[in-house]
Amino acid sequence: MEFKSKNMNYIFNVEYFNGIENMLLKEETSKEVEKKVKERNEQIESFSFAGCKVPFAELENSSYEKGFFYHRFQLYTQYPGLLIGIGYPHETKLNGAIKCGFSFDYVTGLPYISGSALKGMLRSFFYTDENNSEIAKEYESYIKELINKEDSFDIQQIKDQIFENNDVFLGAYPDVKKDSKGILKMEYITPHKEFMNPNPISMIKVKPNVPFLFGFLLTDYMADGKVILSAEEKLNLFEKLIVNMGIGAKTNVGFGKFSKRKVVENYFVKMDQR
């Protein structure tokens, strides 16, 4: 079958399953079924997002009430790629079918990191649990090092000013003007139980070297008529946190890492793009 929709969110969550029940009911050989599933997977891998627009791409140089200004930065996914939304349901019993969900924007169909997910990840680094004061101090020292200002400031106040409904996190989307086709790729993770009976789990990921735009509406943090932390300094802090720590699922095994520049000479990226 060939997908009819131009929206990957609809394709992945609706069209992908069309006719699956018939495959299970019909007396087809496993090879015939796996061939049909493989065709669907290949269509997802080769899908073009041409014509899709990043929702906040037209906000450049825009200002809003209460001192909000639009800011953004661009980062590139690193090897082995980006996994987002794999906890969403995408269940089918067919061998070779995609078993894990993925995060696609409902309107544009673009793979994306939602504003709430981006906000939650960044907020987690402002660790202020009084029951774990030593860990909290390590995080505080880390944040201050990234901000790199001589002036003293209170991390808790900065955290409240950023995350308590003051700044707006617009999320992150691939810049499809630069790369619109083939940005998705199949990925396989094989959990083992006591190194016995490997059971590969099929999923999709965003490939390495895909440019992502991260968007924000930010304000200067002011106190007593003085700028404590400017909107630009916040933006630089967010960028450093994402580059250093990653975002999404499986960051502990290398997924979700970003870099400021596209990696050109990288053996693993070349192998992944074959």
Side-chain angles (χ1 to χ4, degrees):
M1 64 167 290
E2 184 174 346
F3 298 132
K4 297 179 180 179
S5 177
K6 300 298 183 182
N7 185 299
M8 179 49 70
N9 179 67
Y10 184 82
I11 289 173
F12 186 75
N13 292 297
V14 179
E15 281 198 72
Y16 187 85
F17 295 99
N18 287 348
I20 288 239
E21 296 81 1
N22 292 333
M23 291 187 202
L24 296 172
L25 294 174
K26 289 181 178 179
E27 295 181 358
E28 298 187 55
T29 66
S30 59
K31 286 187 177 181
E32 289 174 332
V33 173
E34 288 180 13
K35 180 180 178 182
K36 292 180 179 180
V37 170
K38 184 179 179 182
E39 289 174 352
R40 297 178 187 219
N41 294 344
E42 289 175 347
Q43 285 185 60
I44 288 177
E45 287 184 308
S46 62
F47 183 83
S48 174
F49 290 92
C52 298
K53 293 183 179 181
V54 176
F56 51 76
E58 306 301 325
L59 296 179
E60 196 71 46
N61 300 319
S62 299
S63 62
Y64 300 85
E65 295 181 0
K66 299 181 180 179
F68 284 106
F69 286 89
Y70 168 65
H71 288 80
R72 71 175 187 180
F73 53 75
Q74 177 180 277
L75 297 174
Y76 289 88
T77 54
Q78 289 187 311
Y79 180 86
L82 175 66
L83 294 174
I84 40 178
I86 63 173
Y88 296 153
H90 197 266
E91 299 177 2
T92 172
K93 297 179 181 179
L94 296 179
N95 290 334
I98 298 169
K99 298 296 196 301
C100 296
F102 204 78
S103 178
F104 291 105
D105 180 43
Y106 181 82
V107 176
T108 65
L110 288 168
Y112 84 127
I113 303 169
S114 68
S116 59
L118 182 58
K119 180 178 181 179
M121 186 280 294
L122 291 169
R123 182 171 186 160
S124 68
F125 296 114
F126 288 77
Y127 189 89
T128 53
D129 188 348
E130 295 180 356
N131 296 322
N132 295 282
S133 58
E134 291 186 7
I135 297 177
K137 287 181 180 178
E138 289 181 7
Y139 273 91
E140 180 177 346
S141 176
Y142 175 59
I143 295 293
K144 287 184 175 181
E145 181 180 346
L146 293 182
I147 294 175
N148 191 26
K149 291 189 70 171
E150 295 182 358
D151 298 339
S152 61
F153 49 84
D154 189 289
I155 288 292
Q156 182 62 52
Q157 290 181 355
I158 289 178
K159 176 183 177 182
D160 292 343
Q161 200 276 339
I162 293 174
F163 298 106
E164 298 303 324
N165 300 317
N166 286 312
D167 292 328
V168 180
F169 297 76
L170 302 174
Y173 294 76
D175 186 357
V176 290
K177 287 183 179 180
K178 298 181 179 180
D179 191 353
S180 64
K181 188 174 183 179
I183 69 175
L184 300 175
K185 189 170 180 63
M186 292 295 296
E187 180 62 61
Y188 304 90
I189 293 181
T190 307
H192 292 73
K193 185 177 181 181
E194 298 179 356
F195 301 101
M196 300 289 289
N197 303 320
N199 182 28
I201 298 175
S202 307
M203 58 186 70
I204 57 172
K205 66 180 180 181
V206 177
K207 288 167 43 174
N209 272 348
V210 174
F212 262 69
L213 294 176
F214 292 76
F216 309 85
L217 296 178
L218 303 176
T219 60
D220 292 336
Y221 172 30
M222 306 282 295
D224 299 325
K226 180 181 179 181
V227 176
I228 305 299
L229 194 68
S230 70
E232 192 65 35
E233 287 172 324
K234 290 181 185 178
L235 188 73
N236 291 334
L237 173 62
F238 296 161
E239 182 180 38
K240 290 176 182 177
L241 287 171
I242 293 169
V243 168
N244 292 349
M245 307 305 294
I247 190 171
K250 304 293 183 181
T251 55
N252 59 323
V253 292
F255 288 94
K257 303 299 184 181
F258 287 86
S259 62
K260 297 181 69 172
R261 295 176 179 82
K262 188 173 184 178
V263 179
V264 179
E265 297 298 330
N266 188 309
Y267 173 79
F268 296 104
V269 170
K270 289 180 178 179
M271 290 292 290
D272 194 63
Q273 292 179 340
R274 290 190 306 177

